[in-house]
């Protein structure tokens, strides 16, 4: 396969996709829900800690989250000042995602070009990823998956023709990228291990075509790897216990039942396979157009290998990309199988497979060399990308439902203004740094979102308060009331019972608590008739 250059048309398409995401980020006025708000709060707290001593910032960085790797917040803290020009903190922090998406798309284009893909195959690979409803949707959410997809793309670029790289630089790059990926998300090891196995096999097969190592490059890589590894080891050393407990909660125990269900392996495999197809497109045809060429090209490559004398099989399988494609297909299959053994059914966990699928599509179209197939695949993924972008910007003429993570832009700021008002009225400069309780758990009104808003307001007011819930999925009224007292909360913010949502797993006692506090002489209540907002203030 002869290396090609990235075609200018591909760069134009990449910039168009990035421009769409940038515009979405600027327009959207949604309240960030639970996880997104927590990542945002920690990023702002880290930015605030830089006003103190360096040791204070370092301690805050090592303690960040506790249960989740911190790289998103570590990086995003430096983007917070962009809020001066972008209008608010949310678009400033989401610039991390926009840049990560840009880097991932360019890396996919680079890998396809290195594989010898022509312009049609390059475009198909880029649009298969950029137009995926899951990857596009996650680029709009302040979550770790966009950075994780970037780490996968970096690994894919590293391992293609790894046998030609200098051993020292390859090892250092691998260590650096692995540490980076583990700082993004703890599950990153699941795809790093198969990639590492491929590198070892590839280097054993071909040992006579290596580039000479350049001392300066090796030295710089060693320094970078040492710094990133030290940060990674330091964070995991400090936070190992809460991180492993969170991993168990998210995958296997009763808490995971809130995000999935128990089922047979067969039913789960069916669920995750369908979810992967939907992650690519709401049209099953698009998944077929992507998957069928990959399967066919894999079979053709295998046939070409088998035709040769046996002593040439390993070298030929390496040179024609069969082993590389096999490593990617195997990693995708293992990912789906691993997810099928869990209770959790969060489809965003499929996101690391999307760069692999995009690269595989480019490789497959190059192997098969059928122009009509390249045009068919390009038209399919281009139409899919246009529809995904249109859906994100509020246009859904066909009434299709893509991935649940692709949200139409929200231009109504009422919910955002309501939460900002609730935080302003429940956080006093005379009693800062105290806890208040949010008595409901709604996506746009919850403790995490309120805490993030308070951290935003701190940038202007120089003080903040903290917000929490009645307890995670709390169902016991006495425990909820005891939590209010144990925190000595000055405020409890909720909605009048008649304006609350129907009870669910996370709001089983929300209305009962509001009714109980209404008759509690220790609290006074104010309420807004229009919104139903109800703020209880403890008498002092």
């Amino acid at each position: 396969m002869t290396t090609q250059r990235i075609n200018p048309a591909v760069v134009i398409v990449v910039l168009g996709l990035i421009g769409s995401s940038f515009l979405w980020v600027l327009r959207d006025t949604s309240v960030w829900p639970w996880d997104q708000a927590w990542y945002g709060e920690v990023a702002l707290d880290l930015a605030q800690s830089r006003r103190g001593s360096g040791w204070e910032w370092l301690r805050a960085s090592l303690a960040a989250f506790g249960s989740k790797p911190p790289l998103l917040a570590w990086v995003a803290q430096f983007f917070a000042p962009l809020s001066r020009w972008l209008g608010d903190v949310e678009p400033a922090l989401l610039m991390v995602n926009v840049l990560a998406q840009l880097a991932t798309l360019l890396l996919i284009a680079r890998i396809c070009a290195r594989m010898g893909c022509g312009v049609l195959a390059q475009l198909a690979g880029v649009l298969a990823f950029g137009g995926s409803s899951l990857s596009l949707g996650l680029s709009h959410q302040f979550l770790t998956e966009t950075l994780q997809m970037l780490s996968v793309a970096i690994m894919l670029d590293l391992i293609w023709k790894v046998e030609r790289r200098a051993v020292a630089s390859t090892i250092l790059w691998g260590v650096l990228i692995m540490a980076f990926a583990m700082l993004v998300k703890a599950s990153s090891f699941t795809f790093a291990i198969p990639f590492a196995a491929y590198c070892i096999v590839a280097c054993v097969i071909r040992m006579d075509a290596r580039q000479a190592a350049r001392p300066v490059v090796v030295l710089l890589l060693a320094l970078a790897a040492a710094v990133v590894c030290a940060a990674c080891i330091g964070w995991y050393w400090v936070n190992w216990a809460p991180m492993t407990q969170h991993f168990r909660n998210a995958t296997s125990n009763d808490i995971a039942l809130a995000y999935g269900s128990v089922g047979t392996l067969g039913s789960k495999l069916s669920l995750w396979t369908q979810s992967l197809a939907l992650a690519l497109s709401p049209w099953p045809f698009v998944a077929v157009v992507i998957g069928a060429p990959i399967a066919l090209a894999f079979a053709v490559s295998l046939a070409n290998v088998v035709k040769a004398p046996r002593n040439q099989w390993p070298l030929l399988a390496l040179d024609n990309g069969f082993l590389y494609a096999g490593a990617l297909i195997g990693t995708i299959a293992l990912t789906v199988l691993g997810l099928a053994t869990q209770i959790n059914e969060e489809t965003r966990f499929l996101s690391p497979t999307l760069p692999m699928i995009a690269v595989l599509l480019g490789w497959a179209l190059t192997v098969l060399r059928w122009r009509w197939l390249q045009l068919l695949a390009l038209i399919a993924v281009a139409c899919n990308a246009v529809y995904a972008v249109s859906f994100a910007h509020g246009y859904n003429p066909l009434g299709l439902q893509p991935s649940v993570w692709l949200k139409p832009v929200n231009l109504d700021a009422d919910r955002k203004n309501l939460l900002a008002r609730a935080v302003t009225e429940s956080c006093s400069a005379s009693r800062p740094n105290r806890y208040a309780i949010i008595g409901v758990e709604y996506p746009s009104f919850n403790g995490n979102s309120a805490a993030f808003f308070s951290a935003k307001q701190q940038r202007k007011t120089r003080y903040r308060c903290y917000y929490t819930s009645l307890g995670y999925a709390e169902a016991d009224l006495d425990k909820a009331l005891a939590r209010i007292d144990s925190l000595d909360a000055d405020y409890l913010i909720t909605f009048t019972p008649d304006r609350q949502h129907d009870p669910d797993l996370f709001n089983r006692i929300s209305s009962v608590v509001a009714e109980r506090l209404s008759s509690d002489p220790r609290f006074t209540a104010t309420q807004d008739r229009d919104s139903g907002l109800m703020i209880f203030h403890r008498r002092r």
Side-chain angles (χ1 to χ4, degrees), residues 413-428:
D414 287 350
R415 292 180 179 179
K416 194 171 185 178
N417 294 335
L418 182 64
L419 182 58
R421 172 188 164 191
V423 170
T424 300
E425 294 184 11
S426 60
C427 187
S428 170

Side-chain angles (χ1 to χ4, degrees), residues 418 421-422 424-426 445 490-497 514 517-518 520 523-539:
L418 182 64
R421 172 188 164 191
T424 300
E425 294 184 11
S426 60
F445 206 97
D490 283 342
Y491 294 91
L492 184 140
I493 305 98
T494 185
F495 291 91
T496 57
L517 291 189
S518 294
D520 191 327
F523 289 89
T524 59
T526 59
Q527 65 182 70
D528 178 71
R529 292 182 179 180
D530 293 332
S531 64
L533 182 67
M534 196 172 191
I535 301 178
F536 291 95
H537 182 206
R538 187 185 295 271
R539 299 177 188 271

Side-chain angles (χ1 to χ4, degrees), residues 236-304:
Y236 275 93
W237 179 270
V238 171
N239 301 286
W240 181 257
M243 189 278 300
T244 53
Q245 182 60 49
H246 172 75
F247 189 83
R248 286 191 292 269
N249 290 343
T251 57
S252 60
N253 68 13
D254 291 345
I255 293 178
L257 288 170
Y259 308 98
S261 61
V262 177
T264 64
L265 181 60
S267 65
K268 285 282 192 171
L269 282 172
S270 175
L271 170 69
W272 282 105
T273 303
Q274 294 174 35
S275 297
L276 182 57
L278 186 59
L280 294 169
S281 171
W283 290 303
F285 171 74
V286 174
V288 173
V289 170
I290 292 174
I294 293 172
L296 182 57
F298 192 67
V300 168
S301 297
L302 176 59
N304 290 336

Side-chain angles (χ1 to χ4, degrees), residues 391-408:
F391 183 93
H393 287 278
Y395 304 103
N396 187 15
L398 300 181
L400 296 176
Q401 177 56 58
S403 167
V404 296
W405 289 102
L406 182 58
K407 312 288 187 184

Side-chain angles (χ1 to χ4, degrees), residues 27-336:
R27 297 175 70 204
D28 187 64
T29 58
S30 298
V31 174
W32 285 3
W34 298 278
D35 283 3
Q36 294 91 319
W38 189 21
Y39 282 115
E41 178 193 4
V42 173
L44 294 182
D45 284 347
L46 290 176
Q48 185 68 23
S49 70
R50 296 205 315 273
R51 297 175 181 270
S53 67
W55 285 112
E56 179 185 345
W57 174 76
L58 181 61
R59 285 195 298 270
S61 298
L62 287 177
F65 294 110
S67 60
K68 298 180 179 183
L71 189 63
L72 178 59
W74 281 3
V75 174
Q77 63 177 304
F78 299 104
F79 285 75
L82 293 178
S83 60
R84 299 173 185 174
W85 296 278
L86 299 179
D88 209 339
V89 167
E90 287 91 340
L93 298 183
L94 279 171
M95 286 302 105
V96 176
N97 281 16
V98 173
L99 292 177
Q101 184 191 24
L102 172 62
T104 304
L105 288 167
L106 290 176
L107 278 168
I108 291 171
R110 168 184 157 86
I111 297 165
C112 289
R114 291 180 64 204
M115 287 178 165
C117 298
V119 59
L120 297 181
Q122 289 181 33
L123 285 170
V126 165
L127 285 168
F129 176 80
S132 157
S133 56
L134 180 58
S135 70
L136 182 63
L138 287 173
S139 71
H140 302 159
Q141 303 294 320
F142 196 60
L143 294 166
T144 59
E145 276 70 22
T146 301
L147 282 178
Q148 188 178 38
M149 289 186 282
L150 172 60
S151 68
V152 171
I154 297 173
M155 288 186 184
L156 293 177
D157 185 52
L158 173 68
I159 69 174
W160 173 252
K161 298 303 179 185
V162 67
E163 68 277 7
R164 298 179 182 177
R165 296 179 181 270
V167 174
S169 60
T170 299
I171 293 173
L172 289 171
W173 266 117
V175 171
L176 174 62
I177 297 168
M178 186 62 214
F180 173 89
M182 291 300 292
L183 281 171
V184 172
K185 200 159 187 174
S187 61
S188 296
F189 71 91
T190 56
F191 56 81
I193 292 175
F195 292 170
Y198 168 80
C199 290
I200 293 171
V201 172
C203 291
V204 168
I205 291 174
R206 167 161 277 174
M207 306 180 67
D208 58 349
R210 297 196 175 282
Q211 298 174 349
R214 290 183 288 179
V216 175
V217 173
V218 172
L219 178 60
L220 292 175
L221 282 174
L223 291 174
V227 171
V228 178
C229 281
C232 182
I233 292 170
W235 186 88
Y236 275 93
W237 179 270
V238 171
N239 301 286
W240 181 257
M243 189 278 300
T244 53
Q245 182 60 49
H246 172 75
F247 189 83
R248 286 191 292 269
N249 290 343
T251 57
S252 60
N253 68 13
D254 291 345
I255 293 178
L257 288 170
Y259 308 98
S261 61
V262 177
T264 64
L265 181 60
S267 65
K268 285 282 192 171
L269 282 172
S270 175
L271 170 69
W272 282 105
T273 303
Q274 294 174 35
S275 297
L276 182 57
L278 186 59
L280 294 169
S281 171
W283 290 303
F285 171 74
V286 174
V288 173
V289 170
I290 292 174
I294 293 172
L296 182 57
F298 192 67
V300 168
S301 297
L302 176 59
N304 290 336
V305 170
V306 173
K307 288 178 184 177
R310 288 192 177 184
N311 64 339
Q312 297 180 18
W313 285 5
L315 193 58
L316 187 56
L318 182 63
D319 287 343
N320 72 4
F322 174 76
L323 284 181
Y324 182 84
L328 270 59
I329 293 171
T331 303
I332 294 169
L334 287 173
T335 299
V336 172

